[in-house]
Amino acid sequence: MCFFDSPVGRCEAVRELVLLDETQQECACEHSCPPGFDCPLKGIFTEQSGVTDPASLPCRRAPPPRGPKVRSTRLGDEAQPRSEAFVFS
């Protein structure tokens, strides 16, 4: 069982539940709100985050890298034969 003990609020702008124990700037970066956006939860966020330093957070999440999926092989796979399964009876 998991308990989530952080205050949350529903943001109608992004239509998601957002954490209120972070600063408004951290929330805006997390949910990709543009600078100067009129936040519907303005004034409810904490003024100082106790989790991280806001200056160390990236402003926007980087998109996941896209490219061809390459199957990696470990060195020595060809040289060693596969082991057989053990059967206990």
Side-chain angles (χ1 to χ4, degrees):
M1 182 177 279
C2 178
F3 291 98
F4 192 68
D5 194 23
S6 183
V8 293
R10 175 150 174 87
C11 178
E12 292 299 324
V14 294
R15 295 187 174 124
E16 293 181 4
L17 290 176
V18 297
L19 298 175
L20 299 175
D21 64 348
E22 61 187 355
T23 64
Q24 185 175 350
Q25 180 184 6
E26 288 172 335
C27 182
C29 288
E30 185 177 326
H31 296 282
S32 302
C33 295
F37 180 72
D38 187 26
C39 179
L41 298 175
K42 184 178 181 179
I44 299 177
F45 293 99
T46 185
E47 292 187 18
Q48 180 178 6
S49 175
V51 179
T52 57
D53 178 25
S56 68
L57 293 174
C59 190
R60 299 216 184 259
R61 290 184 182 174
R66 294 183 183 208
K69 291 186 177 181
V70 178
R71 184 174 178 216
S72 63
T73 58
R74 294 183 298 173
L75 295 176
D77 277 349
E78 297 85 16
Q80 297 179 359
R82 300 246 177 211
S83 61
E84 301 204 14
F86 290 107
V87 177
F88 295 100
S89 51

